[in-house]
Amino acid sequence: MLKAVQILCCSSGLTRLTKTRNSSTVKLSTFSSSSSSSPRKTLCFNPTRMSSSSLPGSDPVPKSPTFVSGDVRKIKFCQWCGGPTKHEIPDGEEKLRAICTRCGKIAYQNPKMVVGCLVEHEGKVLLCKRNIQPSHGLWTLPAGYLEVGESAAEGAMRETWEEAGASVEVVSPFAQLDIPLIGQTYVIFLAKLKNLDFAPGPESLECCLFALDEIPFDSLAFSSIYVTLNLYLEDLRKGEVKFHYGTINKRPGSSPSDIQAFSLDYHLQP
């Protein structure tokens, strides 16, 4: 939720996050730092729980609140000094960690951020057919892991260039989708083409602009892309494109290409 809030905040303002009493509505108040008389802007997020029928083809996933992505016991050696590790719950913590028996440092496992663009052009969206595993031969939005030293928007534009050879301009953030089971957070931006010169990069077999009624939903690579495109089409039907935050709960043991093995259990939008 914090990342979704930070994306929407004005970089020059101060923010306060509040929750209305006896209500599930979360309010974000933004204050201008330039003038005390400036009006206050409030964004309201209305949490909703989306059933498996909300997105066609999605299946309910059993709750597993104690599941932790990643197997800490696979960490056998310290990444700093190379010493052997032991696996214990450190004092004051609740999770099993790999602790170096030589230098005492703890190896923490943190989620990875995936950034990408939903590129719009004259009622069409840009998709890439993957030339790498997982999900080789399936369609996806141009997206990939954020690199150190770049912003989320910069990373999304870079990935779009690398996978689709497309030069784009980011318009606005569209969705943040957390996938706790695999330790990933997707941040997808709406973007527009600067020109029509695009071609598949080394990681793509094809790149194509799809009309909205021709999007290959039966051949998409990941649940995150399936959810993103469905949310986008739903917004268009309602006549207003909004920012979305959601948690995708993947079914334990499901493959990345099994895009129907999930539920979108928590959904926030302004």
Side-chain angles (χ1 to χ4, degrees), residues 156-247:
M157 290 187 289
R158 172 186 54 76
E159 286 290 341
T160 303
W161 172 257
E162 291 178 356
E163 296 187 5
S167 180
V168 300
E169 176 184 346
V170 165
V171 176
S172 65
F174 175 68
Q176 177 185 330
L177 299 170
D178 295 337
I179 314 178
L181 188 70
I182 59 175
Q184 291 183 358
T185 288
Y186 275 72
V187 176
I188 303 295
F189 294 87
L190 293 179
K192 60 182 180 180
L193 289 171
K194 292 183 177 180
N195 54 63
L196 289 177
D197 295 329
F198 61 86
E203 296 184 358
S204 301
L205 294 169
E206 300 177 46
C207 296
C208 183
L209 285 168
F210 284 90
L212 301 182
D213 59 355
E214 296 178 350
I215 294 174
F217 279 102
D218 58 343
S219 301
L220 294 179
F222 306 111
S223 299
S224 54
I225 305 304
Y226 183 87
V227 171
T228 298
L229 290 171
N230 271 285
L231 291 175
Y232 177 65
L233 293 181
E234 182 181 347
D235 280 358
L236 292 181
R237 285 192 291 268
K238 293 179 179 179
E240 182 181 6
V241 177
K242 298 181 178 181
F243 177 82
H244 299 266
Y245 169 84
T247 300

Side-chain angles (χ1 to χ4, degrees), residues 2-57:
L2 179 58
K3 292 178 183 177
V5 169
Q6 289 173 332
I7 289 173
L8 289 171
C9 292
C10 176
S11 60
S12 62
L14 301 175
T15 62
R16 182 174 64 198
L17 184 65
T18 60
K19 185 172 181 178
T20 304
R21 189 173 184 178
N22 299 326
S23 171
S24 60
T25 299
V26 181
K27 291 185 176 181
L28 171 67
S29 299
T30 304
F31 303 88
S32 173
S33 59
S34 59
S35 171
S36 59
S37 61
S38 299
R40 184 175 70 180
K41 300 178 181 179
T42 301
L43 298 173
C44 293
F45 291 86
N46 297 306
T48 59
R49 184 173 300 279
M50 300 185 72
S51 66
S52 60
S53 60
S54 298
L55 294 177

Side-chain angles (χ1 to χ4, degrees), residues 89-161:
I89 300 177
D91 292 340
E93 298 194 23
E94 299 177 350
K95 296 181 179 180
L96 191 70
R97 309 289 188 186
I99 306 171
C100 182
T101 58
R102 182 182 297 167
C103 70
K105 290 185 177 180
I106 302 173
Y108 290 97
Q109 295 177 293
N110 303 111
K112 293 181 179 291
M113 180 177 286
V114 179
V115 292
C117 287
L118 198 170
V119 182
E120 313 164 293
H121 180 75
E122 297 182 350
K124 299 180 179 181
V125 295
L126 181 65
L127 298 179
C128 302
K129 181 178 284 189
R130 288 175 60 83
N131 191 32
I132 57 175
Q133 294 292 353
S135 303
H136 181 276
L138 299 178
W139 293 93
T140 184
L141 295 172
Y145 290 121
L146 182 68
E147 298 282 359
V148 173
E150 63 184 3
S151 69
E154 289 170 340
M157 290 187 289
R158 172 186 54 76
E159 286 290 341
T160 303
W161 172 257

